[in-house]
Amino acid sequence: MIQRFVDNVIAVTKESVKTFTYESLNNVVRLINGISALLLTFLPGKANILEGIHGWELRPTFRGPRFPRWMENGVSSFNHFVHELSVDSDSDGSNLDYAYGDEDSDYDISPASPSSQCSRASRASSFSKHDRRWSWWMWIRYIFFWILFPARFLLGIPVRILQLSYSRSSKASAAPGSNEASQTISKVQILKDHIVHRTTDRRRGVIEDLHLAIEIFIEAIFDVVHKAAHFVLSPSVAFKTLSGWCSLSSGGVQYSHGNDSEVTVPTASLGENDPALKERNTSFQHSLNTDARTCQDVITELGYPYEAIHVITNDGYVLLLERLPRRDSRKAVYLQHGVFDSSMGWVSNGVVGSPAFAAYDQGYDVFLGNFRGLVSREHVNKNISSRQYWQYSINEHGTQDIPAMIEKIHQVKTAELKLSQPDLDEETNDGQPYKLCAICHSLGGAAVLMYVITQRIEEKPHRLSRLVLLSPAGFHGDSTFMFTIMEHVFLLLAPLLAPLVPGFYIPTRFFRMLLNKLARDFHNYPAVGGLVQTLMSYFVGGDSSNWVGVLGLPHYNMNDMPGVSFRVALHLAQMKRAGKFRMFDYGSASANMEVYGCPEPFDLGEYYGLIDVPVDLVAGRKDKVIRPSMVRKHYKLMKESDVDVSYNEFEYAHLDFTFSHREELLAYVMSRLLLVEPTPKQQSSQKAVKLKKRTPATS
């Protein structure tokens, strides 16, 4: 009897301590979320960033900045569960049915589908007045809750003990078919199913990790207290337990201490033809619950084929060229990302909204290029230093990376097509048996223009049939005040920073993991995420791209991330200062003479007449990173050089071209690709005619 009473006291005390710590942490987070919301109301032009989000005043929800579609299927698990319990404890006499029965409830915190988001937006105006009155009422309730919480906590302990004792004593006499028991079981089952669904999310945020750490710590402490109480109250049981431990230790039980970072566990998947247990490796990364999915994981999870091709440049850098293969297709597309990005950007919106999947569905053999510049420092020289690895500018992107990847594409496609279609040998003696188009964003657009021009100067084939350039870099004279300040400061401090900062990236695994988890918290707490989004948009000159959502992309993970070398940043600053799209300035006439054969770096805009393929330029009216006026400057110079060029604008910010789901842009890009005829004979004849036309102009 005494032992049962002690067990009840320990159990109730443990749950009370958990509740107190959970509520304290939740209230601190709600306070931070509320302060962030207040700050947003004072920032100019940002007061409406939380429109349509209900309950953000006090209750953080899970409809923050939009993540890619394949990242919206799961929502945080433990944090969501604790949030539901706190809502349930504050709703006097309410039960768990509110989260499941009433879809129009203000506390509906299930993941929003596109249709439900539209319905919420349509109801936003009708509920606005009610929300304002409700927010003041909630503030008053929370003030009284904190005042009366100590009394509730102390008075609740004996009540919980009596309830637990009564429930245990009446368990045997309870009717098995009682209505109350069936209702309780159904509620518990619903809650269990809900929690299981939530735990399918791939990662936790920092706040959720704190919740779990607190729970584990409390469980460990009270487990020790519980065992100590049992040893004191039941000496015979304690003696048997100790004797059992002694027998196990003397029996020669051996424990293997291998690599703690990787463990082999037996698993079985439901629905497989062979339900036998299989071995699966689990690593320390899984225990940290960070999302380190690669582009391969995203592509294969969506049911598309995948192939990885490792490309080595002339200067020894190892690049990853990823592919959605259509080996017998005679039309291919090469997609190249921009700064601080990777091939993940082309697949981040899932099947419907990603350019890579759209091109593959149109019958293209899709190649995804990746520039040099990873924290993992992939190079043939495994002992290369950080300073040596990051010694490159945009020159190397355009004259080393892209040539190596496109030449590899040519080798692979030619070999595969000749193997599957032997009659192509007679058809394409002088040409290539496929058409290759390029879709490039931002820095990738500048690099591919540099590639085409330098290949023509060196009289080498560039293999491309059409260029689609989305907000291409190159000209940066017309930029925001913030970028102008950054340019002046950067060029002023460049001689001091060059020896100290070889590249811009997060150097340690811990801080990369922290960024990965904070991105999840920004998603869970929309006011905090909105504030970070606003501050980041101010930093980049007011561009309204989803900067917080970009931080959640898995290529920013604890193991690796794309970085930017110091010289690439310096190269961009040089372009802005000069007002020209030119190659890297090595700082002296002698150094430039050694590389270029002239004291000044090449002005690529003067060589636009060498571009012998159609070019489609796309600008964003909301783009503050590369303004439409700068894209129009490309267009003007190309028109003056008699290049077959088109220009179009969309209501996009800078990252919307790859990261956001924009069906109209996909339709436009696909329509431009379809203008390229797949007939190799026609391609060869068109190229010959164009070369004849360009010869007098370039001589």
Side-chain angles (χ1 to χ4, degrees), residues 268-480:
S269 299
L270 213 59
E272 289 185 346
N273 295 329
D274 183 12
L277 292 177
K278 302 178 180 62
E279 289 188 349
R280 177 175 60 86
N281 290 333
T282 182
S283 64
F284 180 63
Q285 170 188 310
H286 293 94
S287 64
L288 293 176
N289 195 241
T290 58
D291 192 354
R293 281 177 293 173
T294 62
C295 188
Q296 175 183 357
D297 297 327
V298 176
I299 292 172
T300 54
E301 284 174 5
L302 293 174
Y304 284 81
Y306 176 84
E307 181 182 345
I309 303 172
H310 291 280
V311 180
I312 300 177
T313 64
N314 291 333
D315 51 356
Y317 286 79
V318 180
L319 310 178
L320 178 60
L321 179 64
E322 298 175 282
R323 182 187 186 191
L324 283 72
R326 283 189 183 273
R327 304 185 191 283
D328 57 346
S329 176
R330 296 172 65 177
K331 54 182 184 179
V333 61
Y334 165 72
L335 296 98
Q336 185 56 59
H337 63 79
V339 68
F340 277 120
D341 201 358
S342 72
S343 56
M344 183 72 73
W346 301 111
V347 299
S348 61
N349 285 302
V351 175
V352 178
S354 299
F357 298 129
Y360 182 85
D361 293 337
Q362 291 290 331
Y364 286 87
D365 194 353
V366 180
F367 293 87
L368 309 176
N370 287 280
F371 281 143
R372 66 183 69 189
L374 292 174
V375 174
S376 55
R377 299 206 300 266
E378 298 291 335
H379 198 274
V380 293
N381 180 11
K382 301 301 181 182
N383 299 320
I384 188 172
S385 66
S386 177
R387 185 173 305 281
Q388 292 174 327
Y389 178 84
W390 295 100
Q391 286 293 318
Y392 64 86
S393 65
I394 304 176
N395 282 18
E396 281 68 31
H397 288 325
T399 62
Q400 295 288 341
D401 295 351
I402 293 181
M405 288 186 283
I406 289 184
E407 194 59 33
K408 176 61 71 172
I409 293 173
H410 177 68
Q411 294 174 7
V412 170
K413 286 300 297 179
T414 303
E416 289 178 348
L417 288 175
K418 287 184 177 180
L419 184 63
S420 61
Q421 304 175 30
D423 57 333
L424 288 179
D425 289 334
E426 298 179 359
E427 189 176 329
T428 58
N429 290 328
D430 299 327
Q432 59 189 43
Y434 64 94
K435 287 294 187 70
L436 178 62
C437 300
I439 303 175
C440 307
H441 176 240
S442 190
L443 183 67
V448 79
L449 287 174
M450 184 183 295
Y451 161 72
V452 171
I453 292 172
T454 54
Q455 291 291 107
R456 289 299 311 279
I457 291 175
E458 297 173 3
E459 298 183 350
K460 296 179 181 178
H462 54 68
R463 315 287 185 190
L464 297 173
S465 301
R466 194 177 194 94
L467 304 179
V468 181
L469 308 183
L470 310 176
S471 189
F475 294 105
H476 304 276
D478 180 18
S479 60
T480 61

Side-chain angles (χ1 to χ4, degrees), residues 227-248:
K227 289 180 179 179
H230 268 250
F231 287 167
V232 172
L233 297 175
S234 303
S236 59
V237 176
F239 179 75
K240 289 181 180 180
T241 304
L242 290 174
S243 62
W245 288 351
C246 294
S247 63
L248 285 175

